[in-house]
């Protein structure tokens, strides 16, 4: 499932390719991919709009247009693929084709079909319709003191559950949460109120580092994630704990898998206290 680094990789790749492109008539192979407004209204109002720039909030890709905002959430298996001409090499799982007036196109593929798109007219509408329950972006919107202050308001939460909560801060998913908790030496089952200030600070630092490395190595690909040109990520080979049950940690102990916050969680029982 794409998390913040994977969406950021896509954003950075797509922005120079899409800037100044003008949408032509979209083809909705699976209309229910459009969450808002109706698929009919979406198809009728997208043509003629021009792309200004691309932003991101957590796992949401936010495409700012000359009029309105197109937002994409890839959920489990969504992929955005940019092509110079609008031919589709692989029809399987193609849900939307968004051609541009210059003959290039952005295709949306999604095997599991959970991904969604929204077309909103104003920032206020974007906030109300799409981002109402989404917290600040954990990489761009939170300095260390902000992060510590937010933690202080959620003292009884378990740290793993809190980091996964997109209303607390947006962007972390299961993979990067496990990696950040490992790097900061924190047991994922602990409660926020039991963290020392130094541990919380270490956690914040680890989050910035791990997310930056994830972006640097093009994201993590286990099965489905591809960047906007169809290439695989490379961060999976650098993961310290996620997906590595029974492998040896560098301390010599075996990586353990347990259910925490309802999710399969990987950690080192010796390094993480
Ligand atoms: Zn260890």
């Amino acid at each position: 499932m794409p998390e913040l680094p994977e969406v950021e990789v896509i954003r950075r790749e797509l922005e120079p390719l899409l800037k100044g492109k003008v949408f032509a008539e979209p083809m909705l192979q699976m209309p229910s991919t459009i969450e808002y407004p109706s698929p009919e209204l979406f198809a009728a109002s997208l043509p003629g709009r021009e792309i200004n720039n691309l932003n991101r909030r957590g796992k949401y890709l936010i495409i700012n247009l000359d009029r309105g905002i197109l937002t994409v959430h890839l959920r489990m298996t969504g992929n955005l693929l940019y092509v110079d001409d609008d031919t589709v090499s692989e029809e399987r799982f193609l849900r939307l084709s968004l051609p541009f007036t210059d003959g290039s196109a952005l295709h949306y593929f999604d095997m599991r079909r959970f991904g969604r798109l929204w077309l909103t007219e104003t920032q206020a509408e974007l906030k109300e319709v799409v981002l109402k329950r989404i917290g600040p972006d954990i990489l761009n919107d939170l300095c260390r003191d902000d992060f510590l202050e937010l933690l202080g308001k959620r003292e009884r939460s378990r740290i793993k559950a809190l980091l996964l909560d997109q209303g607390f801060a947006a962007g972390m998913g299961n993979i990067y949460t496990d990696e950040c908790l490992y790097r900061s030496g924190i047991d994922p089952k602990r409660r926020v109120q039991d963290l020392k200030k130094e541990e919380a600070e270490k956690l914040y630092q680890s989050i910035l580092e791990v997310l930056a490395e994830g972006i640097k190595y093009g994201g993590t690909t286990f099965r489905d994630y591809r960047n906007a040109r169809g290439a695989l990520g490379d961060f999976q080979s650098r993961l310290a704990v996620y997906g590595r049950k029974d492998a040896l940690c560098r301390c010599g102990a075996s990586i353990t898998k347990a259910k925490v916050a309802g999710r399969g969680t990987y950690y080192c029982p010796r390094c993480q206290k």
Side-chain angles (χ1 to χ4, degrees):
M1 180 177 190
E3 303 181 24
L4 185 154
E6 289 74 42
V7 179
E8 178 62 17
V9 168
I10 293 171
R11 188 195 73 75
R12 291 181 186 185
E13 283 184 329
L14 281 179
E15 188 170 60
L17 296 168
L18 296 187
K19 253 185 180 172
K21 300 265 181 186
V22 176
F23 283 104
E25 190 95 1
M27 278 169 280
L28 313 184
Q29 287 85 354
M30 198 180 85
S32 58
T33 305
I34 308 299
E35 179 80 19
Y36 183 90
S38 68
E40 296 75 18
L41 192 53
F42 176 92
S45 44
L46 191 63
R49 299 195 193 210
E50 182 178 334
I51 295 177
N52 284 347
N53 57 57
L54 275 65
N55 281 336
R56 185 187 51 68
R57 169 98 160 261
K59 305 174 197 174
Y60 290 83
L61 181 68
I62 297 172
I63 304 175
N64 291 307
L65 312 173
D66 60 343
R67 286 168 292 127
I69 307 115
L70 178 64
T71 305
V72 184
H73 197 302
L74 302 169
R75 297 268 162 73
M76 301 284 287
T77 57
N79 273 320
L80 283 169
L81 189 70
Y82 173 83
V83 288
D84 294 314
D85 59 68
D86 66 359
T87 52
V88 179
S89 56
E90 166 77 65
E91 297 274 349
R92 217 164 153 232
F93 310 133
L94 177 66
R95 308 303 181 200
L96 303 170
S97 292
L98 306 176
F100 301 107
T101 52
D102 67 356
S104 61
L106 191 61
H107 295 307
Y108 179 72
F109 295 85
D110 196 346
M111 182 179 71
R112 301 283 301 275
R113 299 185 287 195
F114 291 122
R116 291 293 180 267
L117 277 78
W118 298 257
L119 179 62
T120 48
E121 297 302 328
T122 62
Q123 289 294 332
E125 193 185 16
L126 170 69
K127 198 171 171 215
E128 179 63 27
V129 172
V130 188
L131 302 176
K132 197 168 188 177
R133 278 182 276 275
I134 302 301
D137 186 83
I138 198 158
L139 188 61
N140 295 338
D141 299 341
L142 287 180
C143 68
R144 192 182 73 174
D145 289 346
D146 294 339
F147 179 76
L148 296 178
E149 193 186 329
L150 281 185
L151 274 186
K153 290 178 183 162
R154 303 288 294 272
E155 290 213 309
R156 292 212 295 241
S157 306
R158 287 191 198 278
I159 189 62
K160 164 121 190 187
L162 187 61
L163 292 176
L164 289 174
D165 179 351
Q166 303 299 295
F168 166 70
M172 302 286 279
N174 209 26
I175 297 174
Y176 291 92
T177 298
D178 283 3
E179 292 297 310
C180 293
L181 288 169
Y182 172 76
R183 191 170 300 196
S184 45
I186 296 170
D187 185 318
K189 299 183 292 297
R190 284 176 66 188
R191 291 187 192 279
V192 172
Q193 63 199 9
D194 300 328
L195 294 181
K196 297 192 196 78
K197 183 154 185 271
E198 306 86 76
E199 290 178 308
E201 289 172 356
K202 182 92 197 307
L203 175 60
Y204 176 74
Q205 195 55 39
S206 302
I207 289 169
L208 296 193
E209 285 172 14
V210 170
L211 293 178
E213 286 167 31
I215 293 166
K216 180 179 166 194
Y217 290 101
T220 303
T221 300
F222 279 110
R223 287 188 303 270
D224 306 299
Y225 169 73
R226 300 287 184 276
N227 70 25
R229 286 290 200 169
L232 306 178
D234 193 33
F235 194 60
Q236 61 279 5
S237 61
R238 296 171 182 276
L239 296 171
V241 286
Y242 188 86
R244 301 189 68 232
K245 182 176 184 291
D246 298 331
L248 290 185
C249 175
R250 63 178 171 208
C251 73
S254 296
I255 308 290
T256 299
K257 185 180 182 188
K259 203 154 212 176
V260 181
R263 306 290 296 275
T265 297
Y266 299 87
Y267 66 101
C268 173
R270 191 180 291 169
C271 294
Q272 292 174 259
K273 302 291 180 197

